[in-house]
């Protein structure tokens, strides 16, 4: 559905939208530019304008396609129905890491993925201030910062001190709060991340062994999941099933460098959850 040349065209669209709607507001937001969708869940005028521009330009680039964007879904949950429809779907997070963006931290990114029939076809992960870009084309590989991306080579997935990142326990599903402790007790070097899209970039580039993700909003994960998979990595829900874009997955799910690492993490977390209480 999309060629290497078209992959570059979409990258240019994403860069230009950042130049117009996002970067001029970085460290320049007024109080009136920020609202709260929920506890610890800000949205800015930059998020909304960037998503509108991406919707306009991406659907013009691929006539007949539709967009599932974070901000549109926050206004109308029925937008998610497009994930199971017949039209190609652009899955968009205009600013992943909005809290960082509001705080003036460079650790935010724009995430875009193209899917059809529930299958990911291509993805783009762009961190404009950090100057980082990850792209992936299903069946053809992944690239981070212009170079072919390859996940870390793990000789022994059972070895101690594998570097793993996850969200803070306050974001874990109810009953699984002991998962972080279980991973640490099981010999993993667990640290918390602040920006999901950037963590996927690091995993695909080989500087992480795995990620444990405690929520399933497709706009946060679609781009990164394809990036990691095309870099040779592995993604699975807590029950071992593939992660579905439309949701309903067993959480948390795991993205890692290889199936052995995924299984090690998955079993440590599952053993710590409600069934063990």
């Amino acid at each position: 559905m999309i060629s290497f040349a078209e992959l570059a065209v979409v990258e240019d669209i994403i860069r230009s939208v950042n130049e117009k709607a996002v970067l001029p507001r970085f460290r320049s937001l007024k109080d009136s530019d920020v609202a709260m969708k929920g506890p610890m869940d800000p949205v800015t005028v930059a998020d909304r304008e960037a998503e509108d521009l991406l919707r306009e330009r991406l659907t013009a680039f691929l006539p007949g396609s539709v967009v599932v964007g974070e901000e549109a879904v926050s206004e109308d949950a029925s937008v998610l129905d497009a994930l199971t429809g017949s039209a190609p779907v652009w899955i968009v997070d205009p600013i992943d890491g909005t809290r960082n963006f509001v705080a003036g931290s460079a650790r935010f990114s724009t995430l875009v993925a193209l899917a059809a029939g529930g299958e990911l076809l291509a993805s783009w992960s762009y961190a404009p201030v950090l100057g980082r870009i990850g792209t992936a084309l299903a069946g053809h590989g992944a690239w981070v910062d212009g170079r072919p991306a390859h996940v870390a080579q793990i000789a022994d997935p059972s070895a101690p001190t594998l570097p793993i990142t996850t969200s803070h326990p306050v974001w874990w599903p109810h009953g699984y709060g002991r998962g972080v402790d279980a991973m640490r007790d099981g010999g993993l070097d667990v640290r918390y991340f602040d920006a999901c899209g950037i963590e996927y970039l690091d995993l695909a580039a080989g500087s992480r062994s795995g990620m444990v993700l405690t929520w399933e909003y497709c706009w946060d994960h679609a781009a990164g999941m394809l990036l990691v998979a095309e870099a040779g990595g592995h993604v699975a829900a807590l029950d071992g099933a593939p992660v579905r874009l439309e949701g309903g997955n067993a959480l948390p799910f795991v993205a890692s460098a290889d199936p052995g690492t995924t299984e090690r993490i998955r079993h440590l977390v599952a053993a710590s959850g409600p069934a063990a209480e």
Side-chain angles (χ1 to χ4, degrees), residues 61-79:
F61 169 76
L62 183 60
S65 63
V66 296
V67 171
V68 170
E70 176 179 7
E71 307 315 329
V73 173
S74 73
E75 297 292 332
D76 179 4
S78 70
V79 171

Side-chain angles (χ1 to χ4, degrees), residues 231-268:
H234 185 257
V235 181
L238 189 65
D239 58 3
V243 175
R244 298 181 298 272
L245 293 176
E246 67 270 23
N249 300 288
L251 296 174
F253 72 90
V254 178
S256 82
D258 57 45
T261 300
T262 296
E263 286 303 291
R264 179 182 178 189
I265 296 170
R266 194 170 64 81
H267 286 298
L268 285 170

